[in-house]
Amino acid sequence: MTSTNGDSQIIDNVKEYYGKKLKNVSDLQTQACVAPGRLVNKNVRVAISQVHEEVASKYYGCGLVIPNKLEGIKVLDLGSGSGRDCYAISKLVGQNGHVTGIDMTDEQIEVARKYIDYHTKTFGYDKPNINFVQGYIEKLIEAGLQENFYDLIVSNCVVNLSPDKYAVLSEAYKVLKEGGELYFSDVYCDRNLEDSVRKHETLWGECIAGALCWKDLISLAEKTGFSTPRLVTVSPIPIDREDFKKILGDAKFCSVTYRLFKLPKVEKSPPLQVIYSGDVTGCENQLDFDHRNQFKTDDVYTIDSELVTILKNSRFSDEFEFQPATKGVCGSTGNTVDNPFDVLLEKEKKGEQVSPACCAPGKC
């Protein structure tokens, strides 16, 4: 990655913000970098509850980046910070899996590494299944990470902090195995922001100034080789401070979790019918794959050609039975790239309660 002087200044400011200015989550000035409440299965709740208190207190995320079916796989966390997500995932992948966290901030890496032995003992492992690398998410290969190595990459409210998002996705694509997944939460805007916003130091640190217009993720995914982004969850991000409202105008923000896959270059498959086995831990009755695709155990669904390729070539390949499409099935699924702000409006119209994407401790 070739950084401009402006990009380097942004990176330095973000390092300063997360390394020196923020001591814990209560120091945040907006609600963009605090995770929403969300129902999760028991295994995930237990894993998160076992993370050391200091690690959790320095956690700045805008979503939950713990997908299903993690046993025994290799996971990379981009912008791992104090390591909360890494440690929770290290519990879920088990002794035979492995988790790597990469972060550029000295202070955050120091906290994360401090508790490796603590979590190894807490989880009952013979040896650590986790390590932390200091480096830049735009330069994964330069940081010493291996190409075609990871089954899953996660990231929680970090991609927006990078001034070079193409480099982030491009490097992520390189280190993923074929069939691997990028599963990440981030902040998105309903428009392209003005330069006056892009240059605001505090709003950069608060995950607002660097937010992509949601449409731009679609073109970024295509340019870097990933599959079409699949929206998993979306939550609104309210802007409460009056001085920030004046700067941001009518711009709206939301937290979205997307999943993207590194697919093999194979001939396009026709739509097929699939039957979910119910064997994924914590999803015995239903596997929620994305916003549009929820698979009830033993029901029959027709899925689009890209999702066929994803399910056949990813870690989910053994969880489905594939058969030619016929009429009269329980459901038909597709992959329309949804405007997340429209999804929120539809939820409101249906009377569904959507938690704000962020809330300070004690206010959720």
Side-chain angles (χ1 to χ4, degrees):
M1 180 188 71
T2 302
S3 295
T4 65
N5 289 334
D7 287 355
S8 297
Q9 187 61 52
I10 288 169
I11 290 171
D12 289 343
N13 290 341
V14 170
K15 287 177 72 173
E16 175 79 10
Y17 201 75
Y18 283 86
K20 301 288 194 298
K21 292 185 179 181
L22 298 183
K23 302 302 180 185
N24 56 56
V25 73
S26 63
D27 293 331
L28 289 164
Q29 298 179 51
T30 70
Q31 298 184 7
C33 293
V34 187
R38 178 179 153 195
L39 290 174
V40 295
N41 67 52
K42 182 179 178 181
N43 292 334
V44 174
R45 290 199 304 272
V46 169
I48 293 173
S49 71
Q50 290 183 315
V51 174
H52 192 279
E53 183 180 350
E54 183 180 0
V55 172
S57 73
K58 297 179 181 295
Y59 165 75
Y60 315 111
C62 64
L64 182 71
V65 291
I66 305 180
N68 299 307
K69 195 171 171 59
L70 299 178
E71 296 93 338
I73 70 171
K74 295 182 180 70
V75 182
L76 172 65
D77 184 356
L78 302 180
S80 51
S82 64
R84 193 208 76 161
D85 289 339
C86 286
Y87 282 120
I89 293 172
S90 76
K91 164 77 171 180
L92 296 166
V93 299
Q95 180 72 83
N96 295 326
H98 192 273
V99 180
T100 298
I102 182 168
D103 200 274
M104 66 180 179
T105 312
D106 297 345
E107 293 82 359
Q108 293 282 67
I109 283 284
E110 183 180 350
V111 171
R113 288 174 174 167
K114 179 180 175 182
Y115 292 102
I116 290 177
D117 288 343
Y118 170 87
H119 290 95
T120 301
K121 293 175 182 176
T122 298
F123 300 154
Y125 296 158
D126 297 329
K127 58 182 180 180
N129 69 342
I130 191 168
N131 72 301
F132 294 95
V133 175
Q134 187 153 18
Y136 296 93
I137 62 174
E138 302 91 347
K139 302 179 180 181
L140 300 179
I141 305 302
E142 185 177 307
L145 302 187
Q146 194 173 330
E147 293 193 43
N148 303 309
F149 184 75
Y150 293 97
D151 302 288
L152 171 69
I153 296 176
V154 299
S155 179
N156 204 333
C157 205
V158 170
V159 176
N160 69 83
L161 296 173
S162 172
D164 191 347
K165 295 169 178 61
Y166 174 83
V168 176
L169 265 65
S170 180
E171 290 284 292
Y173 189 88
K174 290 177 186 176
V175 301
L176 273 176
K177 291 179 181 176
E178 192 172 86
E181 175 182 9
L182 172 59
Y183 186 96
F184 70 115
S185 286
D186 224 291
V187 178
Y188 294 89
C189 190
D190 64 346
R191 67 197 68 193
N192 290 308
L193 295 169
E194 302 287 342
D195 285 345
S196 58
V197 178
R198 296 293 189 199
K199 295 175 182 177
H200 196 286
E201 283 188 24
T202 300
L203 288 175
W204 260 104
E206 293 284 329
C207 307
I208 294 296
L212 273 178
C213 175
W214 69 273
K215 294 179 182 178
D216 292 340
L217 178 65
I218 301 168
S219 58
L220 268 179
E222 183 177 3
K223 287 177 183 176
T224 51
F226 278 105
S227 63
T228 308
R230 292 181 175 265
L231 187 154
V232 181
T233 61
V234 57
S235 301
I237 293 178
I239 304 297
D240 296 328
R241 281 184 47 163
E242 291 300 323
D243 54 340
F244 289 165
K245 287 181 181 179
K246 289 179 181 178
I247 297 168
L248 296 170
D250 295 329
K252 293 182 175 62
F253 299 87
C254 64
S255 166
V256 191
T257 300
Y258 284 106
R259 61 195 325 167
L260 287 69
F261 288 84
K262 179 178 179 177
L263 299 180
K265 310 300 182 188
V266 294
E267 187 175 338
K268 187 175 180 180
S269 168
L272 294 179
Q273 288 181 1
V274 295
I275 302 172
Y276 168 56
S277 66
D279 292 335
V280 175
T281 302
C283 305
E284 288 78 10
N285 298 317
Q286 179 172 301
L287 176 65
D288 294 335
F289 193 79
D290 58 35
H291 163 64
R292 289 181 172 268
N293 295 281
Q294 298 85 39
F295 300 103
K296 292 183 179 180
T297 304
D298 295 331
D299 278 354
V300 184
Y301 296 87
T302 299
I303 60 173
D304 66 84
S305 59
E306 186 178 67
L307 188 49
V308 170
T309 306
I310 289 171
L311 295 183
K312 280 190 170 185
N313 292 280
S314 68
R315 66 186 189 281
F316 296 96
S317 60
D318 295 334
E319 307 302 334
F320 289 86
E321 177 186 336
F322 299 87
Q323 55 192 31
T326 59
K327 295 181 180 179
V329 297
C330 297
S332 180
T333 67
N335 182 33
T336 300
V337 182
D338 295 293
N339 178 339
F341 297 92
D342 288 345
V343 174
L344 284 174
L345 285 174
E346 285 300 314
K347 288 179 178 291
E348 289 175 13
K349 288 177 183 178
K350 293 177 182 178
E352 296 180 26
Q353 187 173 357
V354 182
S355 299
C358 356
C359 37
K363 295 183 180 179
C364 292

